[in-house]
Amino acid sequence: MRKPWIVGLLLAGALLGACSDPASGPESAPPSFTPGVSPATTHQRAPASPGATAKAPVVLYLGDSLAMEAQNVVGEELRRDLKAAYTSRPYSGTTVCDYLEGTGAKSLVPDRDKAAALVRALRPDFVVLQFWGNAWGYTWCMDGITHAEDPDTYFERYRADMARLTRQIETAGGAARPRIVWVSQGPDPITPDRVRRVNTLYEQQAAASGDLVADAGARVSPAGARYTWAQYVPCTTYEREHAGYCTQTLRNRTALHLDKDYLHFCLAPTTSTPKPCPVRSPGILRIAREIARAVGGAG
């Protein structure tokens, strides 16, 4: 059985190998598909989320490999439910500080795709931020601070970076300041307490600045066990009614993760070239619908 720190290093290597480049962004990303399924029927659309905003919102979606794999489905949900104008700029392997202006060469995100730069260019109504947290020190802008070696410093740095990013987005937006939507993290079997504390930081920052939290992590957790990691969970009504989400071989459960990847929700292996998830994946759809619900309910 692998030690937790070894599993962490393996995941770190996988994420670093998936670092994004402009060619992997949404403009050139391949459409989602399932082998043997017509592209037109690949992603079966769920019923519209309630509480849509009266005005079609402009939404900017940023984040790490979780956002990279989910970006197409998030866009589909936002466009269908809210008629949103949608742009995504995720970069695998990143964390909050990578999207800060002023980080220079220490960042995995180029200057043109920093959060504030994109806010000035796109004038979004919402900036959705989704990160796993990258707690093992392979994100340059964290200056080697890791959760394992110094958790208190890690959380203080994470808190400070969140506040700084909020201020940069606010300044860039000016009178038309966008609302930030922090996407909560799902259960982590290696560092469960870290996830609890990071999600608390999201809630505190959102409350302090009048922003929002989309509790997508709860949608990929067992009912009544918010911070218990599970590879399989009971199917939702939608998943039971649509092929490819819920099977009797899993005893009416749906798969959230691959056997060898407890972090990502794409049911296709992570590759060295970052891209949106190419197969139907229940965890990604659950996350995307919760993001659409949070944005739609904010009007």
Side-chain angles (χ1 to χ4, degrees):
M1 181 176 180
R2 289 191 178 106
K3 301 287 188 182
W5 66 270
I6 296 177
V7 176
L9 288 176
L10 291 174
L11 272 176
L15 286 170
L16 276 177
C19 288
S20 175
D21 58 85
S24 65
E27 287 73 19
S28 60
S32 299
F33 70 93
T34 302
V37 178
S38 168
T41 59
T42 297
H43 176 58
Q44 299 185 47
R45 297 177 183 270
S49 300
T53 53
K55 170 185 173 291
V58 179
V59 181
L60 174 62
Y61 182 46
L62 309 176
D64 59 11
S65 59
L66 295 179
M68 174 63 71
E69 68 181 7
Q71 62 182 304
N72 279 3
V73 181
V74 170
E76 289 172 8
E77 294 298 309
L78 287 167
R79 291 187 183 108
R80 188 201 67 234
D81 289 4
L82 308 176
K83 309 300 181 186
Y86 172 77
T87 301
S88 58
R89 289 292 187 276
Y91 283 81
S92 295
T94 59
T95 192
V96 175
C97 57
D98 284 289
Y99 281 93
L100 287 167
E101 291 189 318
T103 50
K106 292 178 64 177
S107 174
L108 296 171
V109 176
D111 288 346
R112 65 179 180 277
D113 286 340
K114 299 294 191 181
L118 290 170
V119 167
R120 287 190 291 267
L122 300 172
R123 314 308 294 178
D125 300 300
F126 296 91
V127 178
V128 180
L129 301 170
Q130 182 171 14
F131 299 95
W132 170 75
N134 289 358
W136 283 301
Y138 49 84
T139 302
W140 301 331
C141 63
M142 285 295 288
D143 297 320
I145 298 170
T146 68
H147 174 264
E149 294 182 0
D150 191 349
D152 289 339
T153 301
Y154 168 83
F155 289 119
E156 281 305 309
R157 175 60 182 274
Y158 205 93
R159 183 198 302 273
D161 287 342
M162 289 171 58
R164 186 178 169 194
L165 186 59
T166 297
R167 289 192 298 271
Q168 289 191 359
I169 290 172
E170 182 175 42
T171 300
R177 187 251 202 226
R179 295 191 77 179
I180 297 170
V181 182
W182 297 96
V183 180
S184 69
Q185 298 181 20
D188 180 345
I190 305 302
T191 57
D193 182 64
R194 182 194 65 82
V195 172
R196 288 177 185 268
R197 293 185 63 178
V198 168
N199 285 347
T200 296
L201 293 180
Y202 291 158
E203 293 168 0
Q204 292 172 344
Q205 180 60 56
S209 54
D211 291 310
L212 306 168
V213 174
D215 195 6
R219 305 296 176 227
V220 290
S221 305
R226 173 62 177 81
Y227 289 100
T228 299
W229 184 89
Q231 184 176 4
Y232 304 99
V233 293
C235 300
T236 64
T237 299
Y238 176 81
E239 289 162 352
R240 287 194 297 271
E241 294 175 349
H242 293 80
Y245 289 103
C246 186
T247 65
Q248 292 183 349
T249 58
L250 293 176
R251 297 181 181 179
N252 291 316
R253 295 180 300 163
T254 193
L256 298 179
H257 305 277
L258 292 174
D259 290 344
K260 296 181 179 180
D261 188 344
Y262 73 82
L263 168 60
H264 298 98
F265 295 93
C266 182
L267 298 183
T270 300
T271 67
S272 60
T273 302
K275 60 184 178 181
C277 184
V279 300
R280 185 177 298 152
S281 300
I284 288 177
L285 180 58
R286 290 180 178 213
I287 289 169
R289 287 189 53 73
E290 182 58 23
I291 290 172
R293 187 205 63 77
V295 172

